[in-house]
Amino acid sequence: MPDPDVPLPPGHRARPLTVHDLPAVTALVAAQERHDLGHVLVEEADLAADWSRPSFDPSLRTIGVEPLAAPGTLVAYGELGHAERGDLAVHPDHRGSGLGTWLAGWLERTARAGGASVVGTPVPAGSPADRLLEHLGWHVRWRSWVLALPAHAQVPARTLPPGHAVRAARDDELAACWQVVEDAFLEWSRRERQPLEDWAAGVVGRPGFEPWHLRVATDQDDQVVGVAVLTVGGDDGRTVFVAQLAVRAEHRGRGLAQALLADAFAEGRRHGHDRAELSTDSRTGALGLYERLGMVVTSDWVHRAVRIPT
């Protein structure tokens, strides 16, 4: 396996990033996505929400690379967003200079310092980043997909069980929503439970959040048993994205997830967002469900990871 301590390529300098760098980071990631995918997924609001989490210190868990000949021009960046998951980007015009290899080493070193035994990052399948990490010995941990609902299509409505409802969450239900989401995600995700404050920073604390972005399914006792977290944006600002979808285990198989999806996309259209998207990965086993509902895969990703020697 290549040495993770490979030096920074000559002619560059690296520095930790701050929230003031968010526009430059967003532009860098967008350039990489546009080159590799043909369209842009990144939203500055998502990065801003992630970096505002109480547990996240960008001075310790981010890095930016600038050419010495063009100070202030961000050409590569990395972040360790969670203990075992990071993000890396190199501007397409600066590939082939060794920056990707250096960033991979930085991510491994930073994760090791935090006590992790493995660290990974999502990359588009077959992309230059995918090929580089494969060359460096990083293995595929899981696959993920972004799906879209074709224009003018809709998720078929489901009749709710007696006494159940789907609606916007109330302010006093935030902790209940967090509990439903974390319980569901931790059934298949290998990570520590996310604190409520961190989760809330990415939901109600996300720039542009509106009350209709947090949807709940409730039972006959008006208790939260399902949650859909929505964001809006896209290249033209007309996309509603289901960022999180979860139903309590004992309430599954009753159509609540489909009802939440139908509600989410209908609410998006009611607010002027006529494109609908979501993502899922191979750990959930939900890809077939979304395809049966009429959604189509628009991009294919792999989560490549490296084991960190103890």
Side-chain angles (χ1 to χ4, degrees), residues 6 13 123 199 305:
V6 61
R13 78 179 186 104
V123 291
W199 181 81

Side-chain angles (χ1 to χ4, degrees), residues 155 158 160 165-167 180 214-218 225-230 242 244-247 255-267:
V155 173
R158 286 290 297 266
L160 292 169
V166 173
R167 56 171 172 79
V180 168
L214 183 57
R215 318 295 298 173
V216 295
T218 56
V225 296
V227 176
V229 177
L230 316 182
V242 179
Q244 299 173 28
L245 180 67
V247 174
L256 295 180
Q258 185 172 332
L260 280 165
L261 274 183
D263 166 79
F265 294 159
E267 281 294 301

